Amino acid sequence: MSTATSMTTSASSRTYVEARDVATAVAAMSAGARPIAGGTDLVVGARHGKAPLPAALVGIHRIPGLADVAPTDGGGLRLGALVTHATLMADPTVLASYPGLADASAIVGSHATRANGTLGGNVMNSSPAMDTGAPLLCHGGVAVLVGPAGERRVALADLWTGPGRSTAAPDELLVAVELDAPPADGASGSSYVRLQYRRQMEIAIVGAGAVVTLGADGTVTGAKVAITALAPVIHRVAEAEAALVGTDGGFEAAKAAGAAAAAAARPISDVRGSADYRRAMAAVITRRAVLTAVRRARGESVPVPASDTTFGS
Amino acid sequence: MSVIDTPAQGSSTPERPRAFLRPDGKEKVTGLGRYTADLTFTGQLHAAFRYADHPHARIVSIDTSRAKALPGVFAVVTHEDVPDVRYGGMTQDRRLFAKEKVLWEGDVVAGVAARTVEIAREAAALVEVEYEVLSAQPDYVANMAPDAPVLHEGWAEYGADENLVRDGNVMSRYVIAKGDADAAMAGADVVVKSHYVSDASQGVPIEPRALVAQWTGDSVTVWSSTQVPFAARSGVAHTLQIPESKVRIVVPLLGGGFGSKCDFHFEAHVAILAKVTRRPVRLVFTRKEEFVAPDHRREGMDIELETGVTRDGRIVARRGRMVLDKGAYTGEGGFFAQMAAMHACGPYKLDTVRVEAFLNYSTNQPAASIRAPTAPQACWALEQHLDEVAAAIGMDPVELRRRTLVAEGDEGPAGQVFEKIGAKETLEAALELIGYDAYLRGELPDDEAVGVACGWWPCFGVPSGAYVKLNGDGTATIVTGAQENGSGSVMGLPILAAEILGMSPSDFSINYQDTDAGPWDMGSSGSQTTFNNGRAVVEAAQEVRAKLLAMGAEKLEADVADLELADGAVRVKGAPETSVTIADLAGTGEPILGKGSGEVPEAAASDASACVGSLGMESFLAPQLITHAARVKVDRDTGVVRVLDFAAAHDSGVIVNKVGADGQVYGGVMMGIGQALTEATWTDEEGRQKNPGLLDYKLQTASDGPRIQIRWIEIETPNAGPKGSKGVGEPPSVPTSGAVGNAIAKVIGRHVDKLPMTAERVWLAANSPAGEDQ
C-alpha cells in the first residue's frame, strides 16, 4: 500500500524589479532575486515544470551597455551578456573571426528563441547541451562576473560544473563573455556542428566545436576541440587536439580527432538517443566540425550554420 | 476522368477557378479569432485534475478533506459525486472519475474547481489517495497470454457491441478470410515473411484543449474544443444522467484536432464542477496534459505479414497477424482491429487472404482515432513488405504494384467489386511527378533514392443534416451540425449551395458548431464532412431553389421551366433582363428555408461469411486511393534522413474546393513524414510518457518540409458524395511513411522495421551486418 500526496509550491506573491544599472541588479540578487533577460530558459522551464518561477525576479534587459559587441584591448571580442543569438549569428566580426559561434547561435531553438534569448542566459544556464558552449570554450571564453565585492573573471571551463550548476555565486551577475584574439601567426577557422533530427526547434543531441590554425605550409599548428551533450559539462578534448597538431588537417586527421572525442565522451541514454549512439556520433560530428574549421582556415567559404552544410558529408 | 495538377507549393490552376478562400482564415491568421481559452465569464472558476499516481493500482480510499480546506477551493469531486455509470464507444468500460482502479497514468481520480489555476492544481495535489499498487502491463502483446492478469476484471458485465469478439485482455478480434490462404501459400513460387513494429504517436493539435461549462437552471452549456459536439453532448447526458435536450455544446474556433479531439472527453467533468459550485468553470490543458491526459493517441502496432507470389508477380496468398495496443479504455476505437486488417490487405488483388487482428488492453494511454487510425502504420509495414516481395522475385517494386493494384471490376478482400476507382492512375501520376524514370536510370547520388507506396481509405456514409435559409438582403445562411476542425470542409460548404442557387460562395454565412442550432452530425471525423454534410447542403439548397423558382414564376408570370437562377436573381432563360433578385424575393418577410439530409450511400456488397467479428466495414465505401513517392537523402554516418522531394497523387473523386484539398495534402504529408521519421511517444518500463512536450516529441517544422507536388485524379465517383466527391482529410497521411521507408531501404540496403524510423534506428540498420536483427 502506498499513499501519495504530490507537493507543489504555494501560489504566493512574486516580486519583480527592473534594474537600470548593474549595481541595482546585483543588490537585488543579493536579496535573493534571480536575473531575467530574454526569459527563454526561466519562463519556458517554469511552464514545463522544470522549476517554479523564482519568487523574486530582477529584470536586467534595460541595463545600458550589456548588449554591446566590442573589441577588447588585447584584440579579442567582448560580448555583452544581453547580446542575442540573432545578433551573434549576423555580426560581421563574429562571422569573420568566430564563425563557430555564429554556427551555434544560428541554430539555437527557433527564430523567436534567437531573437529573445541572450548569450548571458545561455552561459549561466550551464546546460551541457547549449550550442554556444563549445565554440565559446574553443575561442578561450572568459566570463566577466560582477558581485557585491566587485568584478572577477572566470574561464568558462572553470565556470560550468554540471547541468544547471556553476561556480558563480547566486549574487554574481554575468555582464560579458570575452573571447581570445584570433591567432595572429596563421590562418585560422572555427566551426560548430551538431547532430540534429530537425532543422528548427532543436536541441543538440551531440555537438562539437573546433578552432584550427594552419601554418604557412598548411600544417595544423594549433587546434582546440570541445564536445557538447556528451558529458555533464561541455569540455575540451586534449587528445583530439593533439591528434590534429602537426597533421595536414585532412580526413584521416579529423577522423583521429573524432575517435579521441568519442573516447573522451561520457554520454547518457535518454529519449534523444542511446549512449552507444551518442558515442558513435561524437566521432562523426567532431570529424565534421574539424573538417569545417580546416576549410575555413584555408579560406574556403562554408555557410553558416555549418550543421546544415555538413549533412551527409 | 480529368486530372488536375498542383504545381509546386499550391498555386491554383487558372483554368479551374475553384479556389475559395475560407471565411474563417483571416481571423485565424491575424490573431483576431476567439478560441475556447479566450472566453472569460463573470465569476468563473478554474479546474484542475488529480491524475493517477500509478499506471495500474487499486484505489483503497480517497480523502479530499485537505484539498477542500485549502482557501480558494470551491469544490473537489470524485466518483462519489457523479452517477455510477460507465461510458465508451463499442465497450462501456470507463467512468468519469476512477472508482475501483486506475488503469493508466492519465486516469482522472478527482477534479477541483478553485479561484485560480494555481490553487486548483495545489488542491488537486492535496487529495490523498490510498492505493494498492499493481504491476503495470504496458506490453500489449504479452497481455494476450493466457496467464496474463485481466485488466478489466468485470468486462463481461460491461455493455458492449454484440459483434465484438472479446476474450481476456483482447478487447476485439477480427479475422478477414478469403479462400484457403494456407493452401495457396504452400503453392506459391516465393513466400516472404516480415515483422514490423510501430510505436505510438500523437495528434498534437497546436491548441491544447479548453472547456468552459455554465449552468442555467437545469440546463448546461459547455464551450469545448471538440471535433464532435454531438458525441460530446451524448456523453454529458449519459454520464450525468440528464436528457440530451438539457445539454448544449458550443465550439468556438477550433485550433486543430487531427482526430485527438474526437469523442466525448472532459465536458462532463467540467459540467459537474460547474454544477456543484454554481459557477462557470474553465479548464485549459497545459501542453503536457494535452499529451498525457486525452484517451487518444495513435496506437502502437505489432505487424507480421506473409505473402506468397508467383514469379511473374501475382499475389496468391496473404497472411497476417496484427496486434494493436488499445491502451486502458475503448473510447471510440473499438473498430480498429477490423480497420487494421483491411489495411494489411491494401488496395491489391489478392487471390486468398487470412489476416487476424487483435485489439488488446494495456495500462497505456488509450489509443483512438488519430488521422486515418491504424492505416499509416499498417500501410508502412505492408508497403515495405511489398518492396521485399518484389526484391525476392527480382522485380522492380513499382512493376509489382502495376500488376497487383485494383481497378474497376476487381474484387476486394471480402468480395467487394470495385466501381470506378483510380488506384493505378495515382501510381503513374506520382511516378511522373517524382521523376521515377530518372531515378531508375541512376541519375541520383548514391545517398538518395525514391520510394513509392500506395494506400487506401474508406468513406463513411452516415446521416447528416443542414438547413439553408435566405436572408432579407439576398444573402443566405447555412445552418449545419457539421464541425470545422481546421480542414476547411465546413468553410467549403457554400461552394455547393452557391452553385445551385446562382449565388456567390461569399454570399453565405455559416452557423455551425452549436448543438442547439444545427441538425445532428457525426462531427469532424472519418473525412466525412463534404461527403455527408455536403450532400445535406445540396438537398437543402435544392429545396430553396424550388421555392425561389416558384416565387419567381409568379412574380415574372413565367413558366418555372423557362427560369434560371444566376447572378443572385431568378431570370428568364435567354432574356436576363426579365428578372427578380433574390433579395426582392427574400425581403418580403416570408421565410425561405430549405432542409436536407440526402440519401446515405451504402457500402458495396461483400461476402464476410468467413470473417470473424464483423463490424460492417469489410467493404470500403467509395474508397480513396493514394500513391505517395518520396525522394530522400540519408546521412549514412548519422542515420538522419531528409525528405527532399515528394509527390502525392490522390483519387478523392471530384474535388470541390481545390485550394482546400491541396491544403489537406500539404498538412497530411508533413504529418506523415513526422510519423515516419521523428514522432513517437517514448515511455518508461511502466508506460509513462517520457517526452510529453514539443521539444522532445519532434514534429517536423516548416524548415524540414520538402517540395510537395500534388495531382488529383478526378473521377465522378458513383455512390459517393456531392458531385462524385469522396473524402480528403485522412488519406494524405496514409502511405507517406511507407514511401519514406522504401526510399530509406534503397539507400541503406535493408528495411527499417521500427516506426518511427529515427536517425538512431536508420543508423543501426545501415551499420548492422546483413541478416542480423537490429
Side-chain angles (χ1 to χ4, degrees), chain A residues 198-199 202 272 274 277 287-288 312, chain B residues 131 635 637-638 694 696 698-699 704 760:
Chain A
R198 59 183 178 186
R199 297 166 85 173
E202 189 56 299
R272 294 169 194 160
S274 70
Y277 179 60
R287 183 189 81 208
R288 289 177 182 177
Chain B
Y131 295 100
D635 184 343
D637 285 351
T638 64
L694 292 175
D696 283 312
K698 293 198 188 294
L699 299 169
D704 302 298
E760 183 166 353

mmCIF file with all atom_site columns, all heavy atoms in Angstrom, chain A residues 198-199 202 272 274 277 287-288 312, chain B residues 131 635 637-638 694 696 698-699 704 760:
data_model
loop_
_atom_site.group_PDB
_atom_site.id
_atom_site.type_symbol
_atom_site.label_atom_id
_atom_site.label_alt_id
_atom_site.label_comp_id
_atom_site.label_asym_id
_atom_site.label_entity_id
_atom_site.label_seq_id
_atom_site.pdbx_PDB_ins_code
_atom_site.Cartn_x
_atom_site.Cartn_y
_atom_site.Cartn_z
_atom_site.occupancy
_atom_site.B_iso_or_equiv
_atom_site.pdbx_formal_charge
_atom_site.auth_seq_id
_atom_site.auth_comp_id
_atom_site.auth_asym_id
_atom_site.auth_atom_id
_atom_site.pdbx_PDB_model_num
ATOM 1   N N   . ARG A 1 198 ? 15.905 17.619 -36.626 1.00 0.00 ? 198 ARG A N   1
ATOM 2   C CA  . ARG A 1 198 ? 15.132 18.542 -37.453 1.00 0.00 ? 198 ARG A CA  1
ATOM 3   C C   . ARG A 1 198 ? 15.893 19.861 -37.480 1.00 0.00 ? 198 ARG A C   1
ATOM 4   O O   . ARG A 1 198 ? 16.842 20.040 -36.722 1.00 0.00 ? 198 ARG A O   1
ATOM 5   C CB  . ARG A 1 198 ? 13.700 18.690 -36.946 1.00 0.00 ? 198 ARG A CB  1
ATOM 6   C CG  . ARG A 1 198 ? 13.599 19.198 -35.525 1.00 0.00 ? 198 ARG A CG  1
ATOM 7   C CD  . ARG A 1 198 ? 12.150 19.256 -35.035 1.00 0.00 ? 198 ARG A CD  1
ATOM 8   N NE  . ARG A 1 198 ? 12.118 19.712 -33.641 1.00 0.00 ? 198 ARG A NE  1
ATOM 9   C CZ  . ARG A 1 198 ? 11.026 19.758 -32.899 1.00 0.00 ? 198 ARG A CZ  1
ATOM 10  N NH1 . ARG A 1 198 ? 9.876  19.394 -33.399 1.00 0.00 ? 198 ARG A NH1 1
ATOM 11  N NH2 . ARG A 1 198 ? 11.084 20.177 -31.646 1.00 0.00 ? 198 ARG A NH2 1
ATOM 12  N N   . ARG A 1 199 ? 15.448 20.795 -38.322 1.00 0.00 ? 199 ARG A N   1
ATOM 13  C CA  . ARG A 1 199 ? 16.297 21.960 -38.604 1.00 0.00 ? 199 ARG A CA  1
ATOM 14  C C   . ARG A 1 199 ? 15.927 23.204 -37.826 1.00 0.00 ? 199 ARG A C   1
ATOM 15  O O   . ARG A 1 199 ? 16.632 24.205 -37.889 1.00 0.00 ? 199 ARG A O   1
ATOM 16  C CB  . ARG A 1 199 ? 16.279 22.231 -40.107 1.00 0.00 ? 199 ARG A CB  1
ATOM 17  C CG  . ARG A 1 199 ? 16.881 21.055 -40.859 1.00 0.00 ? 199 ARG A CG  1
ATOM 18  C CD  . ARG A 1 199 ? 16.580 21.118 -42.322 1.00 0.00 ? 199 ARG A CD  1
ATOM 19  N NE  . ARG A 1 199 ? 17.551 21.940 -43.017 1.00 0.00 ? 199 ARG A NE  1
ATOM 20  C CZ  . ARG A 1 199 ? 17.612 22.055 -44.337 1.00 0.00 ? 199 ARG A CZ  1
ATOM 21  N NH1 . ARG A 1 199 ? 16.735 21.411 -45.086 1.00 0.00 ? 199 ARG A NH1 1
ATOM 22  N NH2 . ARG A 1 199 ? 18.503 22.817 -44.903 1.00 0.00 ? 199 ARG A NH2 1
ATOM 23  N N   . GLU A 1 202 ? 15.304 22.739 -32.303 1.00 0.00 ? 202 GLU A N   1
ATOM 24  C CA  . GLU A 1 202 ? 16.066 21.540 -31.961 1.00 0.00 ? 202 GLU A CA  1
ATOM 25  C C   . GLU A 1 202 ? 17.044 21.837 -30.834 1.00 0.00 ? 202 GLU A C   1
ATOM 26  O O   . GLU A 1 202 ? 17.374 22.992 -30.555 1.00 0.00 ? 202 GLU A O   1
ATOM 27  C CB  . GLU A 1 202 ? 16.806 21.038 -33.218 1.00 0.00 ? 202 GLU A CB  1
ATOM 28  C CG  . GLU A 1 202 ? 17.466 19.682 -33.086 1.00 0.00 ? 202 GLU A CG  1
ATOM 29  C CD  . GLU A 1 202 ? 16.534 18.550 -32.660 1.00 0.00 ? 202 GLU A CD  1
ATOM 30  O OE1 . GLU A 1 202 ? 15.954 18.632 -31.563 1.00 0.00 ? 202 GLU A OE1 1
ATOM 31  O OE2 . GLU A 1 202 ? 16.415 17.566 -33.417 1.00 0.00 ? 202 GLU A OE2 1
ATOM 32  N N   . ARG A 1 272 ? 16.485 11.197 -26.441 1.00 0.00 ? 272 ARG A N   1
ATOM 33  C CA  . ARG A 1 272 ? 17.088 11.751 -27.662 1.00 0.00 ? 272 ARG A CA  1
ATOM 34  C C   . ARG A 1 272 ? 18.062 10.788 -28.316 1.00 0.00 ? 272 ARG A C   1
ATOM 35  O O   . ARG A 1 272 ? 18.415 10.962 -29.483 1.00 0.00 ? 272 ARG A O   1
ATOM 36  C CB  . ARG A 1 272 ? 17.793 13.062 -27.342 1.00 0.00 ? 272 ARG A CB  1
ATOM 37  C CG  . ARG A 1 272 ? 16.810 14.140 -26.914 1.00 0.00 ? 272 ARG A CG  1
ATOM 38  C CD  . ARG A 1 272 ? 17.475 15.362 -26.330 1.00 0.00 ? 272 ARG A CD  1
ATOM 39  N NE  . ARG A 1 272 ? 16.469 16.174 -25.656 1.00 0.00 ? 272 ARG A NE  1
ATOM 40  C CZ  . ARG A 1 272 ? 16.720 17.089 -24.737 1.00 0.00 ? 272 ARG A CZ  1
ATOM 41  N NH1 . ARG A 1 272 ? 17.974 17.322 -24.360 1.00 0.00 ? 272 ARG A NH1 1
ATOM 42  N NH2 . ARG A 1 272 ? 15.753 17.759 -24.172 1.00 0.00 ? 272 ARG A NH2 1
ATOM 43  N N   . SER A 1 274 ? 20.597 6.821  -27.497 1.00 0.00 ? 274 SER A N   1
ATOM 44  C CA  . SER A 1 274 ? 21.274 5.950  -26.533 1.00 0.00 ? 274 SER A CA  1
ATOM 45  C C   . SER A 1 274 ? 22.716 6.414  -26.358 1.00 0.00 ? 274 SER A C   1
ATOM 46  O O   . SER A 1 274 ? 23.267 7.141  -27.187 1.00 0.00 ? 274 SER A O   1
ATOM 47  C CB  . SER A 1 274 ? 21.259 4.507  -27.036 1.00 0.00 ? 274 SER A CB  1
ATOM 48  O OG  . SER A 1 274 ? 22.122 4.398  -28.156 1.00 0.00 ? 274 SER A OG  1
ATOM 49  N N   . TYR A 1 277 ? 24.866 5.233  -29.277 1.00 0.00 ? 277 TYR A N   1
ATOM 50  C CA  . TYR A 1 277 ? 24.682 6.059  -30.481 1.00 0.00 ? 277 TYR A CA  1
ATOM 51  C C   . TYR A 1 277 ? 25.386 7.398  -30.312 1.00 0.00 ? 277 TYR A C   1
ATOM 52  O O   . TYR A 1 277 ? 26.105 7.858  -31.209 1.00 0.00 ? 277 TYR A O   1
ATOM 53  C CB  . TYR A 1 277 ? 23.189 6.251  -30.722 1.00 0.00 ? 277 TYR A CB  1
ATOM 54  C CG  . TYR A 1 277 ? 22.830 7.112  -31.922 1.00 0.00 ? 277 TYR A CG  1
ATOM 55  C CD1 . TYR A 1 277 ? 23.221 6.762  -33.208 1.00 0.00 ? 277 TYR A CD1 1
ATOM 56  C CD2 . TYR A 1 277 ? 22.064 8.269  -31.760 1.00 0.00 ? 277 TYR A CD2 1
ATOM 57  C CE1 . TYR A 1 277 ? 22.868 7.540  -34.308 1.00 0.00 ? 277 TYR A CE1 1
ATOM 58  C CE2 . TYR A 1 277 ? 21.697 9.050  -32.855 1.00 0.00 ? 277 TYR A CE2 1
ATOM 59  C CZ  . TYR A 1 277 ? 22.107 8.684  -34.121 1.00 0.00 ? 277 TYR A CZ  1
ATOM 60  O OH  . TYR A 1 277 ? 21.757 9.461  -35.199 1.00 0.00 ? 277 TYR A OH  1
ATOM 61  N N   . ARG A 1 287 ? 34.514 14.968 -36.252 1.00 0.00 ? 287 ARG A N   1
ATOM 62  C CA  . ARG A 1 287 ? 35.217 14.931 -37.549 1.00 0.00 ? 287 ARG A CA  1
ATOM 63  C C   . ARG A 1 287 ? 34.696 16.034 -38.476 1.00 0.00 ? 287 ARG A C   1
ATOM 64  O O   . ARG A 1 287 ? 35.469 16.780 -39.085 1.00 0.00 ? 287 ARG A O   1
ATOM 65  C CB  . ARG A 1 287 ? 34.995 13.554 -38.187 1.00 0.00 ? 287 ARG A CB  1
ATOM 66  C CG  . ARG A 1 287 ? 35.717 13.337 -39.501 1.00 0.00 ? 287 ARG A CG  1
ATOM 67  C CD  . ARG A 1 287 ? 35.255 12.042 -40.146 1.00 0.00 ? 287 ARG A CD  1
ATOM 68  N NE  . ARG A 1 287 ? 34.000 12.215 -40.850 1.00 0.00 ? 287 ARG A NE  1
ATOM 69  C CZ  . ARG A 1 287 ? 33.097 11.249 -41.046 1.00 0.00 ? 287 ARG A CZ  1
ATOM 70  N NH1 . ARG A 1 287 ? 33.297 10.036 -40.544 1.00 0.00 ? 287 ARG A NH1 1
ATOM 71  N NH2 . ARG A 1 287 ? 31.983 11.503 -41.716 1.00 0.00 ? 287 ARG A NH2 1
ATOM 72  N N   . ARG A 1 288 ? 33.394 16.174 -38.538 1.00 0.00 ? 288 ARG A N   1
ATOM 73  C CA  . ARG A 1 288 ? 32.809 17.187 -39.422 1.00 0.00 ? 288 ARG A CA  1
ATOM 74  C C   . ARG A 1 288 ? 33.142 18.600 -38.947 1.00 0.00 ? 288 ARG A C   1
ATOM 75  O O   . ARG A 1 288 ? 33.389 19.499 -39.767 1.00 0.00 ? 288 ARG A O   1
ATOM 76  C CB  . ARG A 1 288 ? 31.284 17.000 -39.503 1.00 0.00 ? 288 ARG A CB  1
ATOM 77  C CG  . ARG A 1 288 ? 30.910 15.757 -40.283 1.00 0.00 ? 288 ARG A CG  1
ATOM 78  C CD  . ARG A 1 288 ? 29.407 15.525 -40.310 1.00 0.00 ? 288 ARG A CD  1
ATOM 79  N NE  . ARG A 1 288 ? 29.131 14.283 -41.034 1.00 0.00 ? 288 ARG A NE  1
ATOM 80  C CZ  . ARG A 1 288 ? 27.913 13.770 -41.187 1.00 0.00 ? 288 ARG A CZ  1
ATOM 81  N NH1 . ARG A 1 288 ? 26.868 14.372 -40.654 1.00 0.00 ? 288 ARG A NH1 1
ATOM 82  N NH2 . ARG A 1 288 ? 27.757 12.653 -41.860 1.00 0.00 ? 288 ARG A NH2 1
ATOM 83  N N   . GLY A 1 312 ? 25.381 14.632 -44.311 1.00 0.00 ? 312 GLY A N   1
ATOM 84  C CA  . GLY A 1 312 ? 25.732 13.591 -45.276 1.00 0.00 ? 312 GLY A CA  1
ATOM 85  C C   . GLY A 1 312 ? 27.182 13.589 -45.707 1.00 0.00 ? 312 GLY A C   1
ATOM 86  O O   . GLY A 1 312 ? 27.562 12.814 -46.578 1.00 0.00 ? 312 GLY A O   1
ATOM 87  N N   . TYR B 2 131 ? -3.577 3.650  -2.389  1.00 0.00 ? 131 TYR B N   1
ATOM 88  C CA  . TYR B 2 131 ? -3.611 2.673  -3.480  1.00 0.00 ? 131 TYR B CA  1
ATOM 89  C C   . TYR B 2 131 ? -3.085 1.322  -3.014  1.00 0.00 ? 131 TYR B C   1
ATOM 90  O O   . TYR B 2 131 ? -2.222 1.242  -2.123  1.00 0.00 ? 131 TYR B O   1
ATOM 91  C CB  . TYR B 2 131 ? -2.677 3.103  -4.620  1.00 0.00 ? 131 TYR B CB  1
ATOM 92  C CG  . TYR B 2 131 ? -3.041 4.356  -5.348  1.00 0.00 ? 131 TYR B CG  1
ATOM 93  C CD1 . TYR B 2 131 ? -2.409 5.563  -5.051  1.00 0.00 ? 131 TYR B CD1 1
ATOM 94  C CD2 . TYR B 2 131 ? -3.974 4.339  -6.390  1.00 0.00 ? 131 TYR B CD2 1
ATOM 95  C CE1 . TYR B 2 131 ? -2.703 6.727  -5.733  1.00 0.00 ? 131 TYR B CE1 1
ATOM 96  C CE2 . TYR B 2 131 ? -4.276 5.499  -7.089  1.00 0.00 ? 131 TYR B CE2 1
ATOM 97  C CZ  . TYR B 2 131 ? -3.630 6.692  -6.760  1.00 0.00 ? 131 TYR B CZ  1
ATOM 98  O OH  . TYR B 2 131 ? -3.917 7.833  -7.460  1.00 0.00 ? 131 TYR B OH  1
ATOM 99  N N   . ASP B 2 635 ? 21.838 10.432 -44.488 1.00 0.00 ? 635 ASP B N   1
ATOM 100 C CA  . ASP B 2 635 ? 23.184 10.661 -43.962 1.00 0.00 ? 635 ASP B CA  1
ATOM 101 C C   . ASP B 2 635 ? 23.621 9.338  -43.332 1.00 0.00 ? 635 ASP B C   1
ATOM 102 O O   . ASP B 2 635 ? 23.247 9.029  -42.202 1.00 0.00 ? 635 ASP B O   1
ATOM 103 C CB  . ASP B 2 635 ? 23.124 11.797 -42.933 1.00 0.00 ? 635 ASP B CB  1
ATOM 104 C CG  . ASP B 2 635 ? 24.492 12.171 -42.392 1.00 0.00 ? 635 ASP B CG  1
ATOM 105 O OD1 . ASP B 2 635 ? 25.446 11.378 -42.547 1.00 0.00 ? 635 ASP B OD1 1
ATOM 106 O OD2 . ASP B 2 635 ? 24.609 13.270 -41.817 1.00 0.00 ? 635 ASP B OD2 1
ATOM 107 N N   . ASP B 2 637 ? 26.264 8.167  -42.048 1.00 0.00 ? 637 ASP B N   1
ATOM 108 C CA  . ASP B 2 637 ? 27.070 8.141  -40.825 1.00 0.00 ? 637 ASP B CA  1
ATOM 109 C C   . ASP B 2 637 ? 26.268 8.467  -39.568 1.00 0.00 ? 637 ASP B C   1
ATOM 110 O O   . ASP B 2 637 ? 26.684 8.145  -38.462 1.00 0.00 ? 637 ASP B O   1
ATOM 111 C CB  . ASP B 2 637 ? 28.242 9.125  -40.935 1.00 0.00 ? 637 ASP B CB  1
ATOM 112 C CG  . ASP B 2 637 ? 29.330 8.593  -41.854 1.00 0.00 ? 637 ASP B CG  1
ATOM 113 O OD1 . ASP B 2 637 ? 29.238 7.405  -42.248 1.00 0.00 ? 637 ASP B OD1 1
ATOM 114 O OD2 . ASP B 2 637 ? 30.257 9.357  -42.185 1.00 0.00 ? 637 ASP B OD2 1
ATOM 115 N N   . THR B 2 638 ? 25.143 9.159  -39.747 1.00 0.00 ? 638 THR B N   1
ATOM 116 C CA  . THR B 2 638 ? 24.341 9.514  -38.564 1.00 0.00 ? 638 THR B CA  1
ATOM 117 C C   . THR B 2 638 ? 22.953 8.893  -38.597 1.00 0.00 ? 638 THR B C   1
ATOM 118 O O   . THR B 2 638 ? 22.275 8.858  -37.565 1.00 0.00 ? 638 THR B O   1
ATOM 119 C CB  . THR B 2 638 ? 24.142 11.052 -38.473 1.00 0.00 ? 638 THR B CB  1
ATOM 120 O OG1 . THR B 2 638 ? 23.382 11.484 -39.608 1.00 0.00 ? 638 THR B OG1 1
ATOM 121 C CG2 . THR B 2 638 ? 25.468 11.781 -38.437 1.00 0.00 ? 638 THR B CG2 1
ATOM 122 N N   . LEU B 2 694 ? 6.892  19.610 -26.664 1.00 0.00 ? 694 LEU B N   1
ATOM 123 C CA  . LEU B 2 694 ? 7.193  19.823 -28.077 1.00 0.00 ? 694 LEU B CA  1
ATOM 124 C C   . LEU B 2 694 ? 8.688  19.873 -28.387 1.00 0.00 ? 694 LEU B C   1
ATOM 125 O O   . LEU B 2 694 ? 9.071  19.923 -29.546 1.00 0.00 ? 694 LEU B O   1
ATOM 126 C CB  . LEU B 2 694 ? 6.503  21.100 -28.574 1.00 0.00 ? 694 LEU B CB  1
ATOM 127 C CG  . LEU B 2 694 ? 4.978  20.987 -28.607 1.00 0.00 ? 694 LEU B CG  1
ATOM 128 C CD1 . LEU B 2 694 ? 4.342  22.315 -28.981 1.00 0.00 ? 694 LEU B CD1 1
ATOM 129 C CD2 . LEU B 2 694 ? 4.534  19.891 -29.563 1.00 0.00 ? 694 LEU B CD2 1
ATOM 130 N N   . ASP B 2 696 ? 10.836 17.386 -27.244 1.00 0.00 ? 696 ASP B N   1
ATOM 131 C CA  . ASP B 2 696 ? 11.261 16.001 -27.457 1.00 0.00 ? 696 ASP B CA  1
ATOM 132 C C   . ASP B 2 696 ? 10.215 15.134 -28.134 1.00 0.00 ? 696 ASP B C   1
ATOM 133 O O   . ASP B 2 696 ? 10.504 14.000 -28.488 1.00 0.00 ? 696 ASP B O   1
ATOM 134 C CB  . ASP B 2 696 ? 11.719 15.392 -26.136 1.00 0.00 ? 696 ASP B CB  1
ATOM 135 C CG  . ASP B 2 696 ? 13.113 15.884 -25.772 1.00 0.00 ? 696 ASP B CG  1
ATOM 136 O OD1 . ASP B 2 696 ? 13.985 15.842 -26.645 1.00 0.00 ? 696 ASP B OD1 1
ATOM 137 O OD2 . ASP B 2 696 ? 13.318 16.338 -24.635 1.00 0.00 ? 696 ASP B OD2 1
ATOM 138 N N   . LYS B 2 698 ? 9.055  15.205 -31.462 1.00 0.00 ? 698 LYS B N   1
ATOM 139 C CA  . LYS B 2 698 ? 9.598  16.021 -32.541 1.00 0.00 ? 698 LYS B CA  1
ATOM 140 C C   . LYS B 2 698 ? 8.712  16.032 -33.777 1.00 0.00 ? 698 LYS B C   1
ATOM 141 O O   . LYS B 2 698 ? 8.817  15.184 -34.655 1.00 0.00 ? 698 LYS B O   1
ATOM 142 C CB  . LYS B 2 698 ? 11.006 15.556 -32.888 1.00 0.00 ? 698 LYS B CB  1
ATOM 143 C CG  . LYS B 2 698 ? 11.971 15.841 -31.733 1.00 0.00 ? 698 LYS B CG  1
ATOM 144 C CD  . LYS B 2 698 ? 13.402 15.823 -32.154 1.00 0.00 ? 698 LYS B CD  1
ATOM 145 C CE  . LYS B 2 698 ? 14.332 15.904 -30.961 1.00 0.00 ? 698 LYS B CE  1
ATOM 146 N NZ  . LYS B 2 698 ? 14.264 17.171 -30.239 1.00 0.00 ? 698 LYS B NZ  1
ATOM 147 N N   . LEU B 2 699 ? 7.841  17.053 -33.829 1.00 0.00 ? 699 LEU B N   1
ATOM 148 C CA  . LEU B 2 699 ? 7.108  17.333 -35.057 1.00 0.00 ? 699 LEU B CA  1
ATOM 149 C C   . LEU B 2 699 ? 8.085  17.838 -36.104 1.00 0.00 ? 699 LEU B C   1
ATOM 150 O O   . LEU B 2 699 ? 9.120  18.405 -35.766 1.00 0.00 ? 699 LEU B O   1
ATOM 151 C CB  . LEU B 2 699 ? 6.056  18.411 -34.807 1.00 0.00 ? 699 LEU B CB  1
ATOM 152 C CG  . LEU B 2 699 ? 4.962  18.113 -33.783 1.00 0.00 ? 699 LEU B CG  1
ATOM 153 C CD1 . LEU B 2 699 ? 4.193  19.386 -33.471 1.00 0.00 ? 699 LEU B CD1 1
ATOM 154 C CD2 . LEU B 2 699 ? 4.025  17.058 -34.313 1.00 0.00 ? 699 LEU B CD2 1
ATOM 155 N N   . ASP B 2 704 ? 11.817 21.772 -42.375 1.00 0.00 ? 704 ASP B N   1
ATOM 156 C CA  . ASP B 2 704 ? 12.136 20.403 -42.756 1.00 0.00 ? 704 ASP B CA  1
ATOM 157 C C   . ASP B 2 704 ? 11.346 19.938 -43.973 1.00 0.00 ? 704 ASP B C   1
ATOM 158 O O   . ASP B 2 704 ? 11.628 18.881 -44.522 1.00 0.00 ? 704 ASP B O   1
ATOM 159 C CB  . ASP B 2 704 ? 11.833 19.456 -41.585 1.00 0.00 ? 704 ASP B CB  1
ATOM 160 C CG  . ASP B 2 704 ? 12.606 19.830 -40.338 1.00 0.00 ? 704 ASP B CG  1
ATOM 161 O OD1 . ASP B 2 704 ? 13.842 19.796 -40.393 1.00 0.00 ? 704 ASP B OD1 1
ATOM 162 O OD2 . ASP B 2 704 ? 11.982 20.167 -39.319 1.00 0.00 ? 704 ASP B OD2 1
ATOM 163 N N   . GLU B 2 760 ? 18.648 7.117  -35.139 1.00 0.00 ? 760 GLU B N   1
ATOM 164 C CA  . GLU B 2 760 ? 19.398 6.033  -34.497 1.00 0.00 ? 760 GLU B CA  1
ATOM 165 C C   . GLU B 2 760 ? 19.014 4.675  -35.091 1.00 0.00 ? 760 GLU B C   1
ATOM 166 O O   . GLU B 2 760 ? 19.873 3.818  -35.316 1.00 0.00 ? 760 GLU B O   1
ATOM 167 C CB  . GLU B 2 760 ? 19.159 6.050  -32.981 1.00 0.00 ? 760 GLU B CB  1
ATOM 168 C CG  . GLU B 2 760 ? 19.974 4.990  -32.260 1.00 0.00 ? 760 GLU B CG  1
ATOM 169 C CD  . GLU B 2 760 ? 20.027 5.186  -30.749 1.00 0.00 ? 760 GLU B CD  1
ATOM 170 O OE1 . GLU B 2 760 ? 19.534 6.222  -30.258 1.00 0.00 ? 760 GLU B OE1 1
ATOM 171 O OE2 . GLU B 2 760 ? 20.557 4.301  -30.057 1.00 0.00 ? 760 GLU B OE2 1
#
